[in-house]
Each structure stands twice: as C-alpha cells, then as structure tokens.
Amino acid sequence: MNAPFFKYALFGDEMSLVVAFVIGIGFGFFLERAGFGNARLLAAQFYFRDLRVLKVMFTAIITAMVGAYLLGRLGLLDLSLVYLTPTFLVPQIAGGLILGAGFIIGGYCPGTSCVSAATGRIDGMVYLAGMIGGLLGFAEVYPSIERFTKITAMGQITLARQFHLSYGFLVFAVVLMAFGAFVMAELAEKFIGGKEPGPGALLEPVRTFTPVRRFAVVLTGLGVVALFAGSPYRSALAQVDTKQLALDALRAADQVTADQLADWLVEGRNDYLLVDVRDAQSFAAYHIPGAVNLPLSGLNHDFAQRNERVVFYSDNAIHTAQAWFLIRSLGFPSVYILAGGLETWQEAVLYPRAPAAGAAPKDQIDFAKRMAVAKFFGGSARGATSEVANPVAPVLPKLAPPSPTAPAPDNAQPAKKKKKEGC
Amino acid sequence: MNPYWAGFGLGLVLLASFVIMGRGLGASGAFTTAVATTVHAIAPAHAEGNAFYAEYLGDGATSPLKDWLVFEVLGVFLGGFLSGALANRLKFTIEKGPRITNPRRLLLAAIGGALMGIGAKLALGCTSGQALTGGALLNLGSWAFMMCVFGGAYGLAWFLRRAWL
Amino acid sequence: MTEFTLYRHNPLLDPAVHVWGWEIPVYLFLGGLVAGLMIIAGVRLLIMRPTARQALVCCTVGPLIGLVLLSAGMFALFLDLSHKFYVWRLYLAFEPTSPMSWGAWILLFVYPALLANALTHLPEAIPALAKRVPVLVTISDYILARPRIVVGIGLANMAIGVALGIYTGVLLGAMGARPLWNSAVLGPLFLFSGLSTAAALLHGILVLTTPDDERPQFADFLLSMVARWSQARPLDTRIAPTLAQADNSFLTIELGLLGFLLIGHLTSTAVHQQAAGLLLTGPYAAVFWVFVVGLGILVPLVIQHLELLHRIRHTIAPSLLVLSGGLVLRFVLVAAGQASHWATALP
C-alpha cells in the first residue's frame, strides 16, 4: 500500500475534489456532533464551565497522531509526503493571539462558524461575513506587512526535530499529556463550573471499565508502543530489493525513449522531474528543456519528493545507470533512464533522418511529425543521404535567447502548479 | 454527543485525510480563495498585483474555486446541516449569553470574525488547518500557535464575561 | 448527414462557431421545470374530485409560477438568438424533422394550457385578486361546472408537459457534432430532471407555508406579508409528503437515466467514451460528481427520505438542492457537450 493515495497518483485532481467534499461532510458532521455549532458551548471553555473544546480537540489530535504514527511506522503511510505547514514562529504566535481574541469575542473559529451557519445560527452567519471582511482587510494591507509575515522562517519542522527528541517519545508524551489535561478539565468543570462528571466522563463515579476509559487505555497503550518503536518517517536508507531491481532492469521498464520524452515535453506534462547528471559546464552548454542539473555527487534522499517520477539522462550511460540505482536504493519507486542518453536524443529528436525516397507512406507521415518536433526543440531534419553529404556531426543548438520566429525551447518547460497546499 | 467520541470521530476523519490526500483539514483557506476570486472578478488588475491574492488565484489554467479546501468546506456545511437536522438542532436563532442584546452580540460576532480572518492568515491557518492538523503531525509552529490561541482567549475571557455568562 | 459535417461545427475546430453561454442552460432548466410543473398540475387536476374547491399548490401556484418562469426562459433563449428580429419566421412553417420547429410550436401551446390550469382554482388561492377582478370567478365557475373541460385541461397539461420536457433534451441530442449529446436518453433524462425540480419547488413552497410549528422561523415574516396581501387560505399542506415522495421517485429515475446515459456512451465508440470521460474523470468530474450527483440527487434523496420517516423536519434545504442540482446538470451537460467532439478520435 502506497499512502497518501493522492500523492502516488491513485486518482487525479478532479477526483481529489470529490474526496474533499466527502471528507468535508465527515468533518462538518463531527464538528456539529461535538456541539461546536453553538457559540455558548464553545465560549464555556474559557470560563471552565464546559471544557468541550479541549476534550474534542485533543482527542482528535491524539487519535490522528497515533494513527498516522502507527501507519508510518508500519510503512503503510509515507509521512514525509503529508503536507506540513512551514513554521514562521513570530507571525504564528501573533496570529494565534489575534485568533484567540477573535475566538472569545466572536465565539467561533472558521470551521465551527460554518456548521453553526449551516444549522441556522444567525451569529454564525454574521461571524462568517465578518471573517470575509477581515480577509479583505488583511489582503489590502498585505503588501506593507509582507515582510513581517515572513520573518523567523524555520521551514517544515516538527517538534521532534527542533528539540532533538524521538518522535515516538513525543507521541507518548502528548497522549499522556492529553489524558492528564482531560482529567484536569473534568476536575475544573466540577469545582469551578459546578458540573458533576456525567456518564461517559473519565471521572464518572462508577467503578466499571467504561468505554471511554477503555479507549483511554488503548490509546495510552499505543503511546507506550510508540515510545519504543522509533521514528515513523521512512528511513533514508530503505532496504534494496535486488530481485525487483533486477527484474525492472531486465524488462526495460525503467527506460523512457527519446521520442516519449519529446512527447511529454511537447504536451507540457508536469508530473515528472527531468534530471541532468552531467557537470554544470556541460549543462550550461546544452540541456534538454525543462531539465534540472544535479551532478551525481549531489544526489541524496531529499532531492525530490519520494512520489515524484524522476527521469535521468547524461551523455555517459554508466553515470545514468549509477544514478538510477542510487535513487532506487533510496526508496524512490518510479525512476527512469532516458534510453540512449543525450546521443539518442540528438539523433532521434533534434536531427531526425529523413526516410529514403521510396519509403512507405507511413514512414513519410512519421517523419513529418518528427520534423515538427525537431523544430519545436530548435533542431532540424537531416536528408536521407546526409551521412555521405554531410560528414560533420550536427552540432547541438545553442541556448540562445529565443528568436521570435523559432518556437522557444523554453515553451516546453513544465508548468509547475502555483496554488498553495496549506490552509 | 460525548466529546471524547466526537473527538475520536474527528480524529479518524483527519487521519483519513492524511492517508487519502496527504494533507490535513482546513477552513479559512476556502474563504480566502472565495474572496480572492471575487476581487479578481471585480478588479482583475488589482488582484493580480497583490501578492496575497495572486497566491490563491493559481496559474489561471482552471478556476481557482476548483480548490481542495473550497470543496471540503462545502462538505463541512452539508455535514453540519445533516448532523443538526438529525439531532433536531436546526433553528434560526442567535447564540448568546443572557446579559447581552442581539445587536451587540452580532457586532461582537462580526468583530471576532474579522480578527479571526486576520489571525488565520498571519498564522497560515486556523484552528482546523493549524491546531488540529499540525497538532497531530507534531508541527512546531502549530503547537506554538495552539498555545497562543488558548492564551489569547483565556486572557480576554474575563473582559467578555458579560457576553457569555 | 455526412461524416464531414459531423466533426466540424465545433468551437475548437472552427473558432467562429458560436459558443453557448449561460442563456441556453438556463432556458433548458426553466423549460424542464415548467414541463414538470405542467405534468404535476395536470395529474393533480385529474385525480381530485372536479367540483372540490380548494387552494391548491399544484394546480394554482405551480402554473402561475410556471408562466413567469417560462417567460423568463423564453427571454433567455431570445437573448441567445443571433437574428432577434426573425423570431416570427419560426411560426411561418412547420418542419417535422427539426426540433427547433417542434419546440417553437410546443411553446406556443404551453401558455394557454398553463393559464387554463391556473384559472381553474385561482379564486380560492388568491381571494384578494378574485374580489377585484370578478371575471376570474366566472371563468373558474364555468370550468368547474363542466367536468369534461377539467379533464381536457388536465390531459392537455400532461401531454404538453411531457412534450416540452422531452424536447429540451432532444434539442441537444439533435446536434450531431457533439458526441456527448448523441443519446436518446437525454430526452427522458431532462424530463425527469424537470419533474424532480418541479416537485421540489412545490414541496419547498409548501414547507414555507406550513403552520408555525413545522416551519423554520425565518420564513415567518416574509410569508405573513404575502398571506396578508393575498388573504390566502392555507395551501393543501397535506400533499407535502406526497410531493416529497414523488420527488424521491423522480430523483431515483433521474439517477438511473444518468447512469444509462453514461453506460451508453462508455460502451459506444471511442469518441463517445471520451465524451463520457469528460464527466466521469475529466475536467467536469468534480462539478458533476459533487454538484449534480451528490448535492443535486443523493443528498436531497437522503434528506427527503429522512423527512418521510419523520426522522427530521421538513425544510426547504432539499428543494433548494434539487433546484440548483437541476440547473447545474444543464450547465455541465451543455458545457461538456460543447467540449466533446469527433476530432479527438482523429489521429
């Protein structure tokens, strides 16, 4: 199983929106079930009358945390592909304080105001309108505060990495802390809010092993497992399945032909990463449009997302093969080699050879297409007899600024998506 | 519903989002996209010149409203409605404390919403996108953010007791 | 028709070909909705005792709204015409092989049929109007005293409604150059979609006018204003569950027909498979699955089912969802249809 499914292209962008809708239904359902459509219940949190917000939020956090941890540890979920919002510490602290103020003044947060509006709460609708006003205002002043929003950038970083603690230990600590907080919360409800622990509370005054207590014990147990199980992130050095590698190499399933790659480039596909493993000098002289330069020595486990399709090429078949093996052994599942390397690219794509005069019509049509492709990449066709007439090997086109007449090779640069992934 | 079971359900939804999509839940981003799209429809040049809007408008190949969070929030509305209908909680009313008038409560709601919009964009996420999702992934910034949300709210709670108690 | 004309007439190949904007889907939606209102009105008129006098949502309110909506739809269609001043020419001839001609003539009969149905029980529904225009009472008395006329009006409404509903689909199906529309299912699909939106609309109106305890509060103010103005008697709210039930049946049939449409395309030629792919996984998939199938059909089915089981209160939510789902269905089919073309199958 390769999870996250979307990142391994199990379904496309369109289907992801359908998934979003279904997940949203679940999210909204449980938010409403938790009583979060009611501002009074939410605000009661901050007067110790009903600490529902804390209980729901932390139960959700530890459930998802332990689940993600276990799936990651078992190798079912690649946690490095789960999007982690980058940390900007100071803006986030400021934002948190403002958001907290908004929470107690308005009584909702964005998600809960949606369910409150959906169940007919007029204050929830007004709150949403206010939020849209706030967003508009923020957007208008954004250019002048943009620098502030980008200070103390720390990148995508977890607590474990920042404090050099084991991830498993943190999972255990958070679970323990959460249950401690729940017990404290129930005590606070009892002594400050005057609410006796009812059925389903952890401190329910019965001696039986209630379902909630059983749930707490199971989660704590899983936390103890986490304590000893180590990091859920796939280790950089995955085990090499030599047999699988050999089979892939034998079937040539790991090769992309020059024509195929040319088609991808012409179509403007952006679901792969083209890597040139030659040195920077050769790269500067000529490279296939859209390629990035990464000499063999620069390959390591975080040069690309692990779900990325990677295509290697070089003018040295051995280097390409070595790069392929290196990256395969780092646990990247889809790594390809440009068959024949730059030489074939040049022969087949840039300077295709015209068929002989009496060739079959199919070859003629084929050649017309090749000619168009060659022109797209700034090359040209060779005559059928060029071997005799033109003994000089065709030179690679220079990387000149695109002239208005010839289609610029830069057209073929894969268009990367610009939309952001976070909240 | 018992808050622990509601939280458990919420956690499973979040986990499903991790496993299926490789991302967490969110809410405020959908509204930002909607705002950016609206501004872009009214004043295209203004929206494209603003780095904040431009980030939410995408490359123009598809409609910016065809966004993961937009569809997710659509589902949130529906899920909330279904749950409220099944529990017979559908009612056009204003939730407020007994000592505050309706107009004041609505004014406070609007102010709170505006603050929430500003805070959520400053912090790159709201309680769902940051605290819940980032919390479960042990994200450093999310935990700092979460503590500050509780801190900010508890700090102001005493001044707003007339609104709620 | 030859192959050649089939694969031209496409905005992707001939940029000069006019692309349909919002007008056509809106017209198709309103046409279908009016067709549904007519059929429901006709059926209701036939199954009740002819002499009973009642303020009826199906036979009075529905047709009156239908008249307004049809006029709006016709206006949208008119906006889309290139030669606006030659509309009258459609009525100089009848061309049996042209759906346009059929449509023009059907539309001509819709108005009197709807009007007759509305007039039959009008004095009960809007007493204020009847008091000011006494001739309405005379007409109503005249019709109700003659059962044959009542039956005639009912049958005419049903027949014209079915014709109108199917025509809105056939109109698209007749365009050979768009593979997505090459399906005989399109006619029934639009007919049943129209029926479901009509039933939802009437159900929504009933929910808004039910007595206090059953009604969401926000509607109180609005409705009391309207009620005071028209001095209306309460509508026949007892029919609300029947309408919800009917709506569920229509939605189920619509879902089935949508399935048939897609299965038909998927088992057909490569171009048809590609055309169906536009909706199933292509650029229209998200809108199709979420707004048409999810919010437009499945969710209202569930909500109305729960309402019928008395698990939840009747709300206007399902009717709003069905109405918007019907509208989006037209938009998606028109947009995806125009994006589908024969040229993709050529090398």
Side-chain angles (χ1 to χ4, degrees), chain B residues 7 20 40 51 74 87 125 136-137 155:
Chain B
I20 299 171
H40 187 255
L74 209 65
L137 293 171

Side-chain angles (χ1 to χ4, degrees), chain C residues 127-286:
Chain C
L129 187 67
K131 223 175 275 172
R132 261 173 234 159
V133 192
V135 71
L136 289 176
V137 183
T138 323
I139 295 174
S140 172
D141 285 346
Y142 181 87
I143 296 173
L144 286 175
R146 288 161 184 76
R148 274 192 190 173
I149 297 187
V150 175
V151 171
I153 292 174
L155 287 176
N157 267 289
M158 284 169 63
I160 298 172
V162 171
L164 179 64
I166 289 187
Y167 144 75
T168 57
V170 172
L171 185 64
L172 291 184
M175 183 79 169
R178 310 286 158 78
L180 184 66
W181 298 339
N182 294 164
S183 172
V185 181
L186 220 52
L189 173 67
F190 277 21
L191 173 65
F192 277 98
S193 169
L195 274 168
S196 70
T197 48
L201 178 69
L202 296 173
H203 181 222
I205 292 172
L206 278 185
V207 169
L208 286 181
T209 51
T210 38
D212 288 353
D213 52 331
E214 286 277 309
R215 188 197 314 159
Q217 293 174 338
F218 82 107
D220 271 4
F221 173 74
L222 260 174
L223 285 165
S224 61
M225 296 291 286
V226 176
R228 210 175 301 146
W229 169 75
S230 65
Q231 305 167 5
R233 289 178 211 174
L235 287 165
D236 47 346
T237 46
R238 269 171 304 158
I239 203 175
T242 317
L243 277 171
Q245 187 98 58
D247 200 19
N248 271 353
S249 322
F250 296 145
L251 285 172
T252 313
I253 296 172
E254 188 188 340
L255 192 63
L257 288 171
L258 211 51
F260 281 141
L261 175 78
L262 293 171
I263 291 170
H265 277 329
L266 287 176
T267 51
S268 184
T269 63
V271 271
H272 289 102
Q273 289 171 10
Q274 276 176 10
L278 284 173
L279 292 182
L280 292 175
T281 51
Y284 299 94

Side-chain angles (χ1 to χ4, degrees), chain C residues 108-121:
Chain C
L108 207 59
F109 291 112
V110 170
Y111 277 100
L114 270 175
L115 197 62
N117 205 327
L119 286 176
T120 312
H121 287 281

Side-chain angles (χ1 to χ4, degrees), chain A residues 65-66 69 166-176 222-223 226, chain B residues 138:
Chain A
M65 179 185 68
V66 168
Y69 173 83
S166 121
Y167 199 100
F169 170 76
L170 268 176
V171 168
F172 174 66
V174 170
V175 171
L176 220 57
L222 291 175
Chain B
L138 296 176

Side-chain angles (χ1 to χ4, degrees), chain C residues 23 26 34 39 68 71 76 82 121 131 143 148 163 190 202 230 248 253 280 303 305 320 338 344:
Chain C
E23 296 96 344
V26 167
V34 171
I39 296 170
V68 177
S71 307
S82 314
H121 287 281
K131 223 175 275 172
I143 296 173
R148 274 192 190 173
F190 277 21
L202 296 173
S230 65
N248 271 353
I253 296 172
L280 292 175
I303 294 180
H305 186 66
L320 291 179
Q338 294 189 92
T344 46

Side-chain angles (χ1 to χ4, degrees), chain A residues 98-289:
Chain A
I98 296 175
L99 207 137
F103 203 155
I104 188 70
I105 293 173
Y108 296 107
C109 65
T112 52
S113 68
C114 292
V115 296
S116 84
T119 49
R121 301 301 187 272
I122 293 158
D123 47 334
M125 299 172 196
V126 172
Y127 182 95
L128 277 178
M131 189 170 82
I132 286 168
L135 290 171
L136 262 176
F138 182 83
E140 293 309 320
V141 299
Y142 182 75
S144 50
I145 59 164
E146 190 175 354
R147 276 187 54 203
F148 174 70
T149 63
K150 296 278 188 319
I151 59 172
T152 55
M154 301 169 74
Q156 300 181 321
I157 187 164
T158 59
L159 288 171
R161 265 180 65 190
Q162 174 67 21
F163 297 113
H164 305 291
L165 292 167
S166 121
Y167 199 100
F169 170 76
L170 268 176
V171 168
F172 174 66
V174 170
V175 171
L176 220 57
M177 194 189 79
F179 283 111
F182 295 158
V183 171
M184 300 286 283
E186 288 183 0
L187 289 175
E189 281 174 353
K190 187 175 173 186
F191 293 113
I192 304 177
K195 192 175 128 189
E196 288 297 322
L202 283 170
L203 295 181
E204 189 184 348
V206 289
R207 286 174 193 283
T208 53
F209 205 45
T210 58
V212 167
R213 285 176 190 161
R214 246 175 266 168
F215 173 64
V217 168
V218 169
L219 263 184
T220 317
L222 291 175
V224 174
V225 171
L227 183 57
F228 297 105
S231 168
Y233 283 90
R234 280 188 193 174
S235 80
L237 291 168
Q239 264 198 334
V240 180
D241 184 352
T242 39
K243 187 151 193 183
Q244 184 62 37
L245 283 187
L247 278 176
D248 279 356
L250 195 65
R251 281 187 295 120
D254 56 329
Q255 293 183 16
V256 175
T257 66
D259 284 340
Q260 238 175 335
L261 181 64
D263 280 347
W264 290 3
L265 286 165
V266 171
E267 284 166 19
R269 273 171 62 166
N270 61 359
D271 56 350
Y272 63 96
L273 185 70
L274 186 58
V275 181
D276 188 326
V277 287
R278 297 173 304 158
D279 55 34
Q281 212 173 2
S282 321
F283 183 79
Y286 177 78
H287 60 257
I288 297 178

